[in-house]
Amino acid sequence: MQIIRNAEIAIIKERLKNNPVVAILGARQCGKTTLASQFSSQWPGKVTFFDLENPLDVRRLEEPLLALEGLDGLIVLDEIQRVPELFPVVRVLADRSNKKAKFLILGSASRDLIKQSSESLAGRISYLEMGGFSLALVGAGKEEKLWVRGAFPRSFLAPSEAASYQWRQDFIATFLERDIPQLGFNIPAKSLGRFWQMLAHYHGQIFNASEIGKSLGVSDHTAQRYLDLLSGTFMIRQLRAWHYNTKKRIIKRPKIYFRDTGILHALFSLENKKDVFNHPKLGASWEGFALEETIKAIGLKDNEAFFWGVHTSAELDLLFQRKGRLYGIEVKYAQAPGFAKSMATAFDELNLTHLWVIYPGKKIYKLNQTTTVLPISEIAQLKL
Ligand SMILES: Nc1ncnc2c1ncn2[C@@H]1O[C@H](COP(=O)(O)OP(=O)(O)OP(=O)(O)O)[C@@H](O)[C@H]1O
Ligand SMILES: [Mg+2]
């Protein structure tokens, strides 16, 4: 059974109107190829698909300019991180005056990891970052399942909890043993695996490279490099610290979150819902999930999302700007969150326009004029 990703299809359609090239970037197995084929089936003209993991398709592109310049309609280049040399060719074709072809490029590494793309296609390309399923897509009532199993389609849709867990364990192994080396990184799977596992304990906390490095017996530099690799492959979110217009002594290091709680649970060996509920990191796990879904619901890009923290312990889980105003989000794994002193400090210091407190309950209520408690299941209401 396929879930049709209409929201993303509409975005691609819109962006291809204004750009010759659209790139969809996202984690391995999050559904990029499926989305591209859902989109292609609605495309009114001709579609040509190249899968750069398929040796036959790679051979078809041995002379890329010759192979591509005669094509019109939509050209899909899947797994672009395998052949980044194609970017300059796409540039030449995108700059032709006849505009007879549009390009849809898919990849499972970020722009930082495939540097050539941003450099050669600047001004012609629009990037769309995608994740697995979102709450909006799977529908109300599925929050808990999405949290426990995570958002990867195969994990979420697996016929049983055991099958979902097994899929995630296999995903982790393949990621370490195959995907990372294929990206050109020569890192022992065991070391990166241990690092990843260690990070699970830091989910939702400030990243301290020297502390983690020390406990693994690697340098700060190596710990930072591993983190950047897991961020660049969309496994970890690094939430940057907000450091503007505030007087207090603030925290500057990033916070880290697992983008997918299913992977977090697998690294903790939590096989099912019961295991998750019995684990001491239950609250941190849920709060990370709520934060990620909030970011998806608002549509915040990586560079638009911040946290705010001061050394005297006041803090805000998420801070973002819209139309020049500042908004805050707190995520609380609690039955009936109330107004906390730290929230008052955040209002004072940052001049927030509104604060939402996201929680797992059912009722919407106000704590004051500018603070609203909102159930995760109502997150769609957060559209600004
Ligand atoms: N919208 C969807 N509905 C149902 N199943 C889906 C959906 N999207 C993806 N899947 C399933 O998830 C798996 C991975 O999907 P897909 O191959 O599209 O991901 P991908 O991001 O292209 O992965 P890779 O990076 O490994 O190429 C497939 O088995 C696919 O059938
Ligand atoms: Mg694919």
Side-chain angles (χ1 to χ4, degrees), residues 94-220:
D95 284 351
R96 289 176 299 185
S97 54
N98 63 17
K99 306 256 184 302
K100 66 177 189 174
K102 295 275 189 185
F103 290 86
L104 185 59
I105 290 179
L106 317 182
S108 43
S110 72
R111 278 189 262 179
D112 292 340
L113 287 190
I114 33 173
K115 285 210 180 64
Q116 291 188 34
S117 64
S118 29
E119 284 153 21
S120 44
L121 285 167
R124 307 154 177 87
I125 189 166
S126 172
Y127 287 95
L128 171 64
E129 264 189 28
M130 75 179 278
F133 293 160
S134 62
L135 259 184
L137 193 66
V138 300
K142 300 275 174 61
E143 299 85 17
E144 194 175 271
K145 185 175 175 188
L146 192 65
W147 165 41
V148 171
R149 294 183 173 202
F152 283 99
R154 297 269 315 269
S155 178
F156 181 81
L157 296 172
S160 66
E161 286 195 299
S164 166
Y165 179 72
Q166 186 59 48
W167 184 86
R168 280 175 276 142
Q169 290 297 354
D170 293 341
F171 174 88
I172 289 168
T174 308
F175 180 86
L176 292 169
E177 287 157 18
R178 193 197 75 156
D179 300 339
I180 290 294
Q182 270 184 0
L183 280 170
F185 295 96
N186 184 13
I187 290 178
K190 266 210 180 106
S191 309
L192 187 61
R194 280 175 54 208
F195 176 81
W196 203 1
Q197 192 125 38
M198 173 76 80
L199 274 195
H201 296 276
Y202 285 84
H203 173 73
Q205 295 176 34
I206 306 286
F207 180 73
N208 183 335
S210 65
E211 187 182 312
I212 294 188
K214 224 175 262 154
S215 55
L216 285 174
V218 300
S219 68
D220 304 13

Side-chain angles (χ1 to χ4, degrees), residues 23-42:
I24 305 176
L25 302 181
R28 280 246 89 146
Q29 289 291 301
C30 72
K32 300 176 294 295
T33 304
T34 305
L35 173 61
S37 68
Q38 290 176 359
F39 176 78
S40 305
S41 68
Q42 298 186 8

Side-chain angles (χ1 to χ4, degrees), residues 288-331:
F289 166 74
L291 188 89
E292 197 63 32
E293 288 305 319
T294 304
I295 289 173
K296 284 185 203 168
I298 306 172
L300 289 178
K301 296 201 191 98
D302 266 13
N303 58 4
E304 296 173 331
F306 298 87
F307 78 97
W308 179 73
V310 292
H311 287 290
T312 49
S313 91
E315 72 159 65
L316 209 53
D317 293 326
L318 181 66
L319 189 67
F320 61 96
Q321 274 191 106
R322 275 289 189 268
K323 298 192 173 91
R325 291 164 188 264
L326 265 186
Y327 297 91
I329 303 279
E330 275 287 283
V331 287

Side-chain angles (χ1 to χ4, degrees), residues 207-364:
F207 180 73
N208 183 335
S210 65
E211 187 182 312
I212 294 188
K214 224 175 262 154
S215 55
L216 285 174
V218 300
S219 68
D220 304 13
H221 176 77
T222 301
Q224 187 63 49
R225 181 161 155 257
Y226 285 8
L227 178 68
D228 289 340
L229 196 51
L230 290 175
S231 312
T233 46
F234 307 103
M235 293 299 127
I236 299 289
R237 172 184 294 284
Q238 294 190 43
L239 199 59
R240 289 182 302 151
W242 178 264
H243 58 271
Y244 311 102
N245 55 27
T246 172
K247 288 160 255 142
K248 292 244 160 80
R249 236 164 56 79
I250 49 159
I251 294 166
K252 295 206 182 86
R253 281 198 290 247
K255 264 193 185 186
I256 54 145
Y257 285 93
F258 277 65
R259 287 187 181 234
D260 190 81
T261 41
I263 299 296
L264 175 73
H265 297 154
L267 287 171
F268 279 135
S269 302
L270 308 175
E271 297 188 20
N272 50 40
K273 193 167 106 182
K274 197 169 135 242
D275 290 351
V276 171
F277 275 93
N278 284 327
H279 193 265
K281 290 276 181 185
L282 166 73
S285 165
W286 190 87
E287 289 173 4
F289 166 74
L291 188 89
E292 197 63 32
E293 288 305 319
T294 304
I295 289 173
K296 284 185 203 168
I298 306 172
L300 289 178
K301 296 201 191 98
D302 266 13
N303 58 4
E304 296 173 331
F306 298 87
F307 78 97
W308 179 73
V310 292
H311 287 290
T312 49
S313 91
E315 72 159 65
L316 209 53
D317 293 326
L318 181 66
L319 189 67
F320 61 96
Q321 274 191 106
R322 275 289 189 268
K323 298 192 173 91
R325 291 164 188 264
L326 265 186
Y327 297 91
I329 303 279
E330 275 287 283
V331 287
K332 285 261 178 289
Y333 189 70
Q335 257 172 14
F339 197 76
K341 199 170 147 249
S342 64
M343 297 175 189
T345 317
F347 269 105
D348 282 354
E349 281 291 313
L350 297 164
N351 197 14
L352 292 182
T353 298
H354 204 96
L355 174 70
W356 288 272
V357 183
I358 312 296
Y359 83 126
K362 295 265 177 278
K363 273 217 293 269
I364 303 182

